[in-house]
Structure formats: structure tokens, C-alpha cells
Amino acid sequence: MTGVSDVVATYIMAKDGNRPWLMRRAFAEGARLEMAVKTDAISFPSTATGVDAISDTLVRRFSEEQENVYTLCLSSPPEDRRKTFSCNWLVGMSRRDNGDIRVGCGRYDWSFTDTGKLRASDLKITIEVMQILAPENLRPVMDWLSALPYPWCPARRAAETMPQPEGLSAISDFLRQCR
């Protein structure tokens, strides 16, 4: 890893693509995950410690229930080896069991350690909003998300190109506030 943007992009590739083996490239062995979930539409444990526990929480268990996952950092990629990085995010996915679509947004707060290899030492994920849509919204939502620059996307672009199915007003409001 050469910089913070590489670590964050590797994490997103691991989570979205169900690649738990990549998490060791993103997280230090003793890394800590904290989850602040402000919605009833999705649930996660509040903490996980160690790269294996983080992988279980954010990749293995997550991918058992979700597919078609697209996560976007609503930021420009950071270009340095800083110790912290925060950004808003947007995610869309479908549930494997019933096809429901989930579109959510929140904030990442990262801390990094560099002991020869830059890795995340702490990650706080805040889930601010998670909207649930009917399965027939899969195509417009996935067409939208997959056409956006991945994984770094300006909030303005996401907001301007967002489809208008009923149930995304809270997502739209969040994106407008990010601009």
C-alpha cells in the first residue's frame, strides 16, 4: 500500500467483492472496528477487534445476506500517508433472500498505522440512513451506482444522477448536505 487511498480502496474492494483475504492488506492485525448504526433497516455488532473479526463482520457475514454491493466514498482520494481520514459514503446492495434493495449512507472515520506497511488501525463506521426499496428497483439503483466513479465519487455527481424511485428522499437529502 502506498497511501491512505489505497488502503480505503482495498477495504471497499474486499467488502463489496466478498474477498476477505484482502482485508489483511487494509487492516493491521490488532485493528479495531466500531459501528454506530442509526437505523433499524440493517444491523451489525457494535465492535470487532482484530483483522479476522473485522473480516467476519464486514465481509463474510455481510456477504451471506447481501449481494450486488457498491460502496462509494463521497470524497476525492487522499494523496498522502496521513494518520487519519474521514469521508461520507454511499452504498447500495440487494438482499440475497428476498431481493429487497438497500441504499444507505453515512461516514467513515479512519486511523492508520505505518510500521513499514500502511494499514488501518481503527475504523468507525456510522450508518446514518438506510432505505429499503422493493426488488423491482434493482435495475435503476444498480445502473445508477455502477455508472458512478468507483470507489471515489463526488457527492454532487451521485445526487445529480440519482434515480427517483419512491423511498430515496432521505438519501437525496444526505447527498445534498454532503455537497
Side-chain angles (χ1 to χ4, degrees), residues 2-9 78 80-82 85 112 118 152:
T2 58
V4 168
S5 63
D6 296 320
V7 172
V8 174
D80 59 10
R81 296 174 72 88
R82 61 180 64 186
F85 174 69
F112 301 93
L118 186 69
W152 305 99

Side-chain angles (χ1 to χ4, degrees), residues 74 87-90 104-108 126-129 174 178:
L74 302 173
C87 69
N88 292 312
W89 53 263
L90 169 69
C105 44
R107 181 171 177 85
Y108 288 136
T126 303
I127 302 174
E128 294 287 346
V129 177
F174 184 90
C178 291

Side-chain angles (χ1 to χ4, degrees), residues 34-46 88-89 103-109 124-131 170-171 174 177:
E34 179 183 343
M35 300 286 296
V37 181
K38 299 180 178 181
T39 174
D40 293 331
I42 198 163
S43 65
F44 283 96
S46 60
N88 292 312
W89 53 263
V103 180
C105 44
R107 181 171 177 85
Y108 288 136
D109 293 295
K124 179 178 181 183
I125 301 174
T126 303
I127 302 174
E128 294 287 346
V129 177
M130 187 66 65
Q131 303 291 164
I171 302 299
F174 184 90
Q177 291 173 7

Side-chain angles (χ1 to χ4, degrees), residues 127-145:
I127 302 174
E128 294 287 346
V129 177
M130 187 66 65
Q131 303 291 164
I132 301 174
L133 305 173
E136 58 266 17
N137 292 295
L138 178 68
R139 185 170 183 176
V141 168
M142 291 302 143
D143 284 350
W144 167 52
L145 293 172

Side-chain angles (χ1 to χ4, degrees), residues 10-167:
T10 299
Y11 154 74
I12 290 172
M13 186 182 342
K15 182 183 70 65
D16 289 3
N18 187 19
R19 296 178 181 100
W21 66 273
L22 280 176
M23 294 296 267
R24 290 196 178 281
R25 292 186 185 172
F27 289 93
E29 190 60 41
R32 181 166 158 51
L33 169 69
E34 179 183 343
M35 300 286 296
V37 181
K38 299 180 178 181
T39 174
D40 293 331
I42 198 163
S43 65
F44 283 96
S46 60
T47 63
T49 302
V51 70
D52 290 332
I54 293 170
S55 296
D56 284 345
T57 300
L58 296 179
V59 181
R60 289 183 185 98
R61 291 183 204 156
F62 182 74
S63 66
E64 288 174 1
E65 296 179 3
Q66 312 298 331
E67 61 187 358
N68 300 309
V69 182
Y70 280 90
T71 304
L72 302 164
C73 291
L74 302 173
S75 167
S76 297
E79 295 183 13
D80 59 10
R81 296 174 72 88
R82 61 180 64 186
K83 295 193 184 281
T84 62
F85 174 69
S86 296
C87 69
N88 292 312
W89 53 263
L90 169 69
V91 69
M93 65 198 100
S94 58
R95 283 195 52 96
R96 289 182 185 274
D97 61 354
N98 63 11
D100 283 351
I101 311 307
R102 284 182 167 66
V103 180
C105 44
R107 181 171 177 85
Y108 288 136
D109 293 295
W110 296 85
S111 296
F112 301 93
T113 185
D114 192 345
T115 55
K117 293 181 181 177
L118 186 69
R119 299 287 190 266
S121 56
D122 291 280
L123 172 59
K124 179 178 181 183
I125 301 174
T126 303
I127 302 174
E128 294 287 346
V129 177
M130 187 66 65
Q131 303 291 164
I132 301 174
L133 305 173
E136 58 266 17
N137 292 295
L138 178 68
R139 185 170 183 176
V141 168
M142 291 302 143
D143 284 350
W144 167 52
L145 293 172
S146 65
L148 294 170
Y150 182 85
W152 305 99
C153 178
R156 165 172 264 147
R157 183 158 176 197
E160 290 172 350
T161 60
M162 190 173 97
Q164 298 304 314
E166 205 170 302

